[in-house]
Structure formats: C-alpha cells, structure tokens
Amino acid sequence: GVHKDQKKWVPWAFLFASFCLAFALYLTGIEAFVLKAYCIFCLFQQVLILLEWALLFKLKSLTRSS
C-alpha cells in the first residue's frame, strides 16, 4: 500500500518536477533554435529529468487511487 506520508509530498514533488521539465524543454529549445548546437551533458540531464517526471507522474496516480 501507499504510505500516508507519500500523499503529502508526492504532489509537491510532481509539481517541482513539472517545473524542472518545462525549464529543461525551454533550454532544449534554446539549444535547437538559437544556438543550433547540443550539449551531450545537457541532453543526458534532460533525459533524467524526463524519467524523474514520469516516475512521479506514475506515483502520483498511485497515491490518488489509494
């Protein structure tokens, strides 16, 4: 089952991860359309942010249903 403390922090963590994902997408847009160059470290970091967001999205849906 879902621990009751998760219901408190998961929505806030998801909100923060959503902000981070939006900012990462903004920076990717800067790389693609302004700089026309990519940073391997930045792309790797953006993949990690996307994975974190996806995991928190799933956890958020699990905490809502229980």
Side-chain angles (χ1 to χ4, degrees):
V2 177
H3 195 272
K4 67 177 183 172
D5 287 338
Q6 284 180 327
K7 289 188 178 193
K8 294 178 185 175
W9 67 264
V10 168
W12 292 105
F14 177 74
L15 184 65
F16 181 71
S18 296
F19 172 77
C20 293
L21 179 62
F23 190 66
L25 292 174
Y26 167 75
L27 292 178
T28 302
I30 296 289
E31 285 181 328
F33 301 112
V34 176
L35 299 175
K36 295 181 176 41
Y38 294 96
C39 166
I40 296 297
F41 175 77
C42 298
L43 293 174
F44 180 70
Q45 190 72 15
Q46 291 158 0
V47 168
L48 291 177
I49 291 170
L50 182 61
L51 289 173
E52 175 189 18
W53 183 88
L55 289 171
L56 283 166
F57 181 80
K58 180 66 175 171
L59 190 57
K60 183 174 177 265
S61 67
L62 289 175
T63 56
R64 187 180 317 149
S65 64
S66 58

